[in-house]
Amino acid sequence: MFGKKTYKERRTALKKLVGSGVIVMFGNNESPCNFTANGYYPFRQDSSFLYFFGLNRDGLAGVIDIDNDTETLVGDDISIDDIVWYGSVDSIKDMAGKTGIANTAKMAELQNIINKVQQEHRQIHFLPPYRYDIMLQIYDLLGIHPGKQKAAASMKLIKAVVKLRSTKSEEEIEELERAAVIGYKMHTTAMKLTKPGVTEKYVGGHVDGIANSYGAMVSFPTIFSQHGEIMHGNPSMNILESGRLALCDAGAETINNYCSDNTRTYPVNGKFTSRQLDIYKVVEECHDMTLKLAKPGIKYADVHFAICRNIFNRMKELGLAKGNTEDAVKAGAHAMFLPHGLGHMMGMDVHDMESLDQINVGFDDEVRPNLEQFGTNALRMGRRLEEGFVVTDEPGIYFIPQLIDEWRASGHCKDYLNFDKLEQYKNFGGIRIEDDILITKDGCRIVGKDIIPYHPADVEAFMSGEK
């Protein structure tokens, strides 16, 4: 938790942007596994609630009355039974004091607060819920069916939250740097453990353990697989094989819930083959190209498509693609190799604020998403970059057997792809290199003092123990 001043300033800024009415912001509740007392799933507070209130306890809500300039923390003090099992925690009054709020109310009183606002015909602002218990709570309080709550959520509040959370303060950047330290430990540990004969699960389990021991938890389920062509390939009991590539996409959350997200791809036996290097060097080039192009005022969609063109040109050089590059990218042929976007916002969520709808986060009135074209429809961040944004730089090249078969059978983009050559890569896997980058005044930089090895010579030297 940051200092009280931070949260008071954030709520003041929020009130100015929203303008009028009453904001009701819900914290999360516990999510038990199998039965109520089995707290299997780690508690994770709602990120927007954390951003504006900083309180990491279940069963809370915040009410911000803009018109009357009052704020109320809503929640119940825990019972003696809970104290026996889980220990004592601060009272609601004490928590309110820590975040700079003068008023408190019990959860049962929230309905009365809502009723009074409705009687006064004032607008109630809430964010779109993503957990079913909160949907039921909103239904009980406001009478809005869960299926209609996303549409009923306040666009004014959504835009205000996105504006404030998009630009990271100095203390947030420091927290992201701490997340990067944990991420470095996770990835370098995975590189050291990767070798023929061990299971994906063995490596992935150690990676998760580091996140849990140094921070709050992983920032998303760890991806570790020698089938890198599967975008979200969680660790299996498959044994790592010499000659294959292992892809590790993992990140950590700090105790204050700021995230890291990095990906590295490396040979299981520690030595790239010439064919692997041919593809790897293209991804490496695109990763570094992004670092040169990303700066304030540049549309991230333009950076994305510059990377797409570069990948397609390099695939032509390797005989995997053909034809005019501009026409090919316009037709979506590049998505055979890169079926996702170049990156996404980063912060308290690994896909920062995605619960508010990615169109509201990564796009704006100027830059709109293309939801029709395969690959391009997975672009999460397209709008102009601003100083203080943190985004991911994650180009990749993948050879997905089912996609190759489907496009070949349908003739999709047949004028731009050499399917006979692609057949030879069906057992290749995939390569992705990812870092979190901070947009600075004149350009960008990778978040984190120590960069996880990704240049081929550095990767091989590290895996051999030379570095």
Side-chain angles (χ1 to χ4, degrees):
M1 186 175 183
F2 299 130
K4 181 191 305 184
K5 182 172 178 284
T6 293
Y7 301 105
K8 292 180 70 172
E9 288 176 348
R10 288 174 177 177
R11 293 194 299 270
T12 297
L14 184 66
K15 285 184 275 191
K16 287 180 180 177
L17 287 171
V18 177
S20 63
V22 175
I23 298 167
V24 181
M25 197 166 288
F26 298 91
N28 282 335
N29 300 309
E30 290 281 7
S31 296
C33 178
N34 299 328
F35 56 93
T36 303
N38 187 3
Y40 180 83
Y41 299 111
F43 174 70
R44 176 54 158 88
Q45 184 62 281
D46 175 77
S47 293
S48 289
F49 188 87
L50 274 174
Y51 185 84
F52 292 103
F53 296 91
L55 300 170
N56 205 1
R57 205 208 86 174
D58 63 302
L60 302 175
V63 177
I64 302 173
D65 189 329
I66 302 171
D67 306 321
N68 295 309
D69 195 23
T70 60
E71 300 169 345
T72 304
L73 179 65
V74 183
D76 298 326
D77 290 327
I78 66 170
S79 68
I80 188 62
D81 289 336
D82 286 331
I83 290 173
V84 168
W85 287 102
Y86 303 111
S88 183
V89 297
D90 289 339
S91 68
I92 297 297
K93 183 177 180 180
D94 288 341
M95 285 191 288
K98 287 184 177 180
T99 195
I101 292 177
N103 305 308
T104 63
K106 294 182 179 180
M107 189 57 70
E109 297 173 40
L110 183 56
Q111 185 68 71
N112 295 331
I113 294 171
I114 295 294
N115 291 344
K116 185 173 186 297
V117 174
Q118 289 178 322
Q119 290 166 5
E120 295 168 345
H121 303 291
R122 293 194 288 150
Q123 184 175 1
I124 296 173
H125 303 273
F126 64 89
L127 296 172
Y130 52 90
R131 289 194 175 189
Y132 292 106
D133 54 338
I134 301 301
M135 292 179 188
L136 292 173
Q137 190 174 6
I138 291 173
Y139 180 68
D140 289 341
L141 290 167
L142 299 173
I144 303 172
H145 188 276
K148 297 180 179 179
Q149 289 173 10
K150 183 177 179 181
S154 169
M155 188 53 66
K156 272 190 175 182
L157 180 57
I158 290 170
K159 288 184 175 182
V161 172
V162 169
K163 182 175 178 61
L164 293 172
R165 285 182 58 187
S166 291
T167 304
K168 306 301 186 286
S169 66
E170 283 301 318
E171 60 187 350
E172 287 183 287
I173 293 168
E174 289 174 7
E175 201 64 34
L176 289 165
E177 295 281 357
R178 294 186 186 100
V181 171
I182 306 171
Y184 179 88
K185 294 178 186 292
M186 294 167 73
H187 279 273
T188 53
T189 296
M191 293 174 75
K192 291 173 182 175
L193 291 175
T194 296
K195 60 183 177 181
V198 303
T199 65
E200 295 174 358
K201 199 79 167 175
Y202 178 81
V203 179
H206 280 77
V207 168
D208 288 355
I210 290 172
N212 293 335
S213 61
Y214 285 96
M217 59 184 189
V218 293
S219 52
F220 58 95
T222 294
I223 297 164
F224 184 86
S225 176
Q226 59 190 342
H227 284 280
E229 77 278 9
I230 301 172
M231 299 299 114
H232 288 170
N234 298 126
S236 71
M237 291 303 294
N238 290 336
I239 295 173
L240 297 177
E241 301 171 9
S242 182
R244 295 193 65 88
L245 294 167
L247 185 150
C248 182
D249 187 344
E253 275 194 21
T254 66
I255 291 298
N256 285 323
N257 303 106
Y258 281 79
C259 299
S260 69
D261 182 7
N262 303 93
T263 306
R264 292 295 185 266
T265 311
Y266 33 84
V268 170
N269 62 14
K271 191 74 176 176
F272 289 103
T273 67
S274 59
R275 188 168 80 148
Q276 288 169 348
L277 270 179
D278 285 341
I279 303 299
Y280 190 95
K281 286 180 178 178
V282 178
V283 181
E284 175 196 20
E285 179 181 277
C286 291
H287 171 277
D288 292 352
M289 185 177 170
T290 300
L291 297 176
K292 295 176 182 177
L293 294 176
K295 63 181 67 175
I298 298 296
K299 296 176 188 174
Y300 212 46
D302 289 345
V303 182
H304 167 80
F305 285 111
I307 296 305
C308 294
R309 289 190 290 271
N310 192 63
I311 287 175
F312 199 82
N313 283 331
R314 295 293 180 263
M315 294 300 97
K316 287 198 295 184
E317 293 172 4
L318 294 172
L320 292 159
K322 59 186 178 180
N324 180 271
T325 296
E326 290 297 330
D327 293 340
V329 171
K330 186 176 181 180
H334 64 281
M336 170 58 71
F337 311 104
L338 178 62
H340 61 73
L342 179 61
H344 50 78
M345 284 281 206
M346 268 288 303
M348 298 185 82
D349 306 316
V350 68
H351 289 177
D352 211 21
M353 301 171 282
E354 195 160 289
S355 64
L356 305 181
D357 199 320
Q358 199 59 46
I359 291 177
N360 298 321
V361 178
F363 298 89
D364 54 21
D365 293 338
E366 179 191 15
V367 184
R368 303 305 297 163
N370 178 349
L371 301 178
E372 305 302 320
Q373 188 183 74
F374 173 78
T376 305
N377 61 359
L379 179 61
R380 288 185 166 94
M381 176 64 186
R383 66 188 176 112
R384 293 187 188 275
L385 299 169
E386 297 179 23
E387 184 179 358
F389 282 13
V390 176
V391 297
T392 59
D393 165 16
E394 51 178 306
I397 294 176
Y398 314 87
F399 296 95
I400 306 168
Q402 296 86 345
L403 188 64
I404 295 170
D405 290 342
E406 181 176 311
W407 283 24
R408 183 168 200 164
S410 68
H412 183 62
C413 290
K414 61 183 175 62
D415 295 333
Y416 307 110
L417 298 168
N418 288 324
F419 287 104
D420 287 342
K421 186 79 169 179
L422 284 167
E423 286 285 335
Q424 301 171 26
Y425 281 76
K426 279 186 172 180
N427 66 343
F428 184 92
I431 294 172
R432 181 165 65 254
I433 304 172
E434 176 185 16
D435 283 304
D436 308 325
I437 59 175
L438 169 68
I439 306 303
T440 60
K441 182 179 180 181
D442 302 313
C444 70
R445 68 169 177 84
I446 295 175
V447 177
K449 178 176 65 71
D450 296 320
I451 307 302
I452 305 160
Y454 71 93
H455 297 301
D458 295 337
V459 170
E460 291 183 345
F462 187 88
M463 294 186 74
S464 70
E466 296 176 19
K467 286 192 174 182

